[in-house]
Amino acid sequence: MRRVVVTGMGMITPLGCGVDVNWDRLTRGESGIRAIDRFDVSDLPARIAGQVPMRSEAPWGLDPDEVVDSKERRRMDDFILYGLAAAHEAILDAGWTPTDEEEQERTGVIIGSGIGGLNTIAETSIQLEKSGPRRVSPFFIPAALINLVSGHVSIRYGFKGPNHAVVTACSTGAHAIGDGARLIAFGDADVMVAGGAEAPLCRLGMAGFASARALSTHFNDTPTEASRPWDKDRDGFVMSEGAGVVILEELEHAKKRGAKIYAEVLGYGLSGDANHITAPSPDGAGACRAMTGALRNSRVNADQVDYINAHGTSTPAGDEVEVKAVKRLFGDHAMKLSMSSTKSAVGHLLGAAGAVEAIYTIQAMRNSLIPPTLNLHEPSEGCDIDLTPLKAREREIHYAMSNSFGFGGTNASVLFKRAP
Amino acid sequence: MTDVAERVKKIVVEHLGADEAKVTENASFIDDLGADSLDTVELVMAFEEEFGCEIPDDAAEKILTVKDAIDYIKEHSA
């Protein structure tokens, strides 16, 4: 089987634009969660989120003009803007901008989203009610379609290989990386631009997730304390926006062009809970099967895994289930490995989460530093493994796993090996 | 009515991101100003909004240049 490595990374999160600033702020224990200031939240139970900072707010913020011109921007939902920004960083980082026709045909894109252009759909729907069908923009559909991040990236950079988009709720980013790696392993492409993008922060999105009782509502006055995976006072996740994109590349292809190699995508496991539309299966069997799958096809023993970047969303049910699954699979080794949830700092980026967290996982391996689980003061019952509370911790990491679980009971685990 | 031409040109510049100097009366949206089929639909919607008129689809299909738009609007707005 052809081996697949990561040769480029790009991200935009509530902590800022770019891998370096993200890693720096994340490992210092900073939080990207704050009060929502973009739309009216006065009647919503959850009034905080992880908003992508703008350049006018912080030096690490996003300047949309650097990504697209104003004409183009009006024609795409923010999730596409974020996806393009992350893809651009990753592509430049990998130094892969082929002009040769054959190389372009061997390069594909697989960037998904959990929901796609929700705010665009909401606003256009209001426009339809108010002004009738003749006022619905011809750009409405392409502005909202999930696969249009992949479409725009392909058009912009001339990538003519597989053009795909994953839609598996909060597992999207992880599935995109796993599936993208398989497309390379199977020979459909030599390079895949893979990841996820999400922009769910609008009244409709907040109201929907709040009604599903998924969001934290007790920390509206102390936003940075709201995302607290495994802590006994946790009460739901904090919704966030952004994107993560990696460049996946066939090992020999990367070596031949002298690309820097960050990590190898060694294993990938998928499973379905077959249980409930929003709740995880209480015994963690689905999560366990995904992790088992990732170990099996990487031929790595469970006791070789040093770090798990958990799904860990800060919901009362999900967090404990994941620990249960880890204990079940890893046995005694569960007490020796380290786990953390970077959602404690950035919140839950839904379809972008898996890709953003894969990048954090790779950064953890490269820097021998485990990013902390913020706000974990008192773990709830059974959460007695090393969850890296409050402060980043040094640890050499040879193999690391990133977990993602989504609504619909869809689970994915990706196993990475540190670059030699 | 004298400013119809100016208002039309302003909309074209804004929506197509076109160079003002290129937006002459004889300029074709598609051939000269880089518009695609979706752009032209959006342009017609913008004209309707600006001038408070309705441009039926069969008439819209015949609006290919800046002058076509100006003429149509002059003729159909009271």
Side-chain angles (χ1 to χ4, degrees):
Chain A
M1 197 66 99
R2 284 151 49 98
R3 293 167 66 184
V4 180
V5 293
V6 176
T7 57
M9 305 189 286
M11 72 201 315
I12 166 162
T13 78
L15 284 177
C17 297
V19 173
D20 290 342
V21 74
N22 260 273
W23 184 245
D24 185 50
R25 298 193 68 207
L26 179 74
T27 51
R28 275 174 208 246
E30 293 180 31
S31 166
I33 310 304
R34 55 187 168 138
I36 293 171
D37 59 13
R38 280 197 215 141
F39 50 89
D40 179 25
V41 292
S42 56
D43 55 355
L44 292 169
R47 300 192 283 276
I48 55 171
Q51 296 180 159
V52 163
M54 290 294 130
R55 183 71 52 82
S56 53
E57 299 171 304
W60 50 73
L62 172 71
D63 179 359
D65 291 338
E66 287 179 1
V67 185
V68 290
D69 63 37
S70 57
K71 174 190 154 196
E72 256 193 300
R73 196 194 170 187
R74 282 191 287 115
R75 297 168 173 187
M76 56 175 68
D77 189 90
D78 280 349
F79 84 101
I80 298 177
L81 175 73
Y82 301 153
L84 275 173
H88 187 67
E89 183 190 359
I91 289 163
L92 291 190
D93 183 38
W96 184 245
T97 49
T99 49
D100 175 81
E101 181 82 13
E102 199 188 325
E103 287 178 337
Q104 290 181 335
E105 288 172 5
R106 298 292 298 162
T107 304
V109 190
I110 180 166
I111 301 173
S113 179
I115 312 179
L118 186 62
N119 188 44
T120 297
I121 293 170
E123 285 185 349
T124 308
S125 177
I126 292 167
Q127 178 82 1
L128 173 67
E129 276 305 294
K130 218 169 60 184
S131 315
R134 293 183 59 83
R135 285 289 173 276
V136 172
S137 165
F139 296 99
F140 162 54
I141 298 294
L145 285 183
I146 283 176
N147 70 301
L148 261 282
V149 183
S150 290
H152 276 285
V153 169
S154 155
I155 293 164
R156 175 171 288 199
Y157 302 96
F159 298 151
K160 296 168 185 155
N163 200 266
H164 206 338
V166 174
V167 184
T168 48
C170 308
S171 298
T172 297
H175 276 136
I177 291 171
D179 291 351
R182 293 226 168 140
L183 288 171
I184 294 172
F186 203 75
D188 295 282
D190 293 327
V191 181
M192 289 296 295
V193 182
E198 202 75 67
L201 302 182
C202 60
R203 283 177 59 75
L204 185 59
M206 292 301 291
F209 279 97
S211 291
R213 301 291 184 267
L215 300 180
S216 168
T217 56
H218 292 152
F219 297 89
N220 286 320
D221 298 325
T222 49
T224 60
E225 294 171 26
S227 187
R228 43 197 315 122
W230 302 297
D231 187 82
K232 66 171 182 38
D233 292 332
R234 71 188 184 277
D235 70 331
F237 74 76
V238 177
M239 198 143 73
S240 297
E241 60 177 356
V245 172
V246 297
I247 306 301
L248 303 172
E249 188 166 352
E250 195 269 324
L251 175 64
E252 296 307 321
H253 187 277
K255 277 188 184 164
K256 208 166 136 189
R257 70 183 185 92
K260 57 184 176 306
I261 293 171
Y262 291 133
E264 179 171 1
V265 182
L266 207 61
Y268 172 44
L270 316 79
S271 72
D273 277 353
N275 179 60
H276 187 266
I277 50 172
T278 59
S281 62
D283 58 0
C288 194
R289 277 197 304 280
M291 289 187 274
T292 305
L295 287 173
R296 189 177 50 233
N297 64 42
S298 63
R299 281 185 258 167
V300 165
N301 290 326
D303 63 6
Q304 289 176 280
V305 175
D306 304 298
Y307 171 56
I308 299 174
N309 185 298
H311 184 59
T313 57
S314 187
T315 55
D319 291 8
E320 282 172 34
V321 166
E322 187 172 8
V323 170
K324 206 186 274 184
V326 166
K327 284 179 169 179
R328 182 163 146 180
L329 171 60
F330 290 90
D332 291 346
H333 183 65
M335 303 309 286
K336 293 180 194 144
L337 56 77
S338 293
M339 186 149 101
S340 70
S341 169
T342 44
K343 287 188 180 82
S344 60
V346 292
H348 193 350
L349 281 80
L350 310 183
V356 161
E357 289 159 19
I359 294 171
Y360 290 154
T361 304
I362 292 168
Q363 285 292 83
M365 287 196 288
R366 294 178 66 213
N367 294 283
S368 300
L369 186 62
I370 294 179
T373 305
L374 303 185
N375 303 311
L376 175 52
H377 297 285
E378 199 177 320
S380 60
E381 211 187 313
C383 300
D384 51 358
I385 64 173
D386 173 20
L387 298 168
T388 327
L390 309 175
K391 278 200 160 102
R393 190 148 18 86
E394 286 182 23
R395 175 169 182 161
E396 205 172 329
I397 306 166
H398 301 277
Y399 298 95
M401 192 178 259
S402 181
N403 284 341
S404 294
F405 314 131
F407 278 7
T410 173
N411 312 301
S413 291
V414 184
L415 186 78
F416 296 97
K417 182 187 179 190
R418 190 171 69 174
Chain B
M1 288 304 285
T2 49
D3 64 345
V4 167
E6 287 315 306
R7 285 156 73 191
V8 164
K9 284 181 186 173
K10 190 165 171 261
I11 288 170
V12 173
V13 168
E14 271 171 18
H15 280 263
L16 299 183
D19 185 350
E20 225 173 312
K22 282 189 176 168
V23 185
T24 60
E25 298 216 349
N26 290 324
S28 152
F29 300 130
I30 290 176
D31 296 335
D32 301 319
L33 301 174
D36 62 21
S37 59
L38 296 182
D39 289 319
T40 58
V41 175
E42 195 189 47
L43 262 186
V44 168
M45 285 172 57
F47 296 146
E48 290 181 329
E49 189 105 334
E50 172 76 14
F51 297 100
C53 59
E54 191 168 309
I55 306 175
D57 289 351
D58 50 352
E61 278 167 23
K62 293 184 189 115
I63 299 177
L64 304 174
T65 66
V66 175
K67 187 170 183 299
D68 292 342
I70 295 168
D71 290 348
Y72 185 91
I73 290 158
K74 280 186 177 167
E75 219 170 284
H76 291 85
S77 47

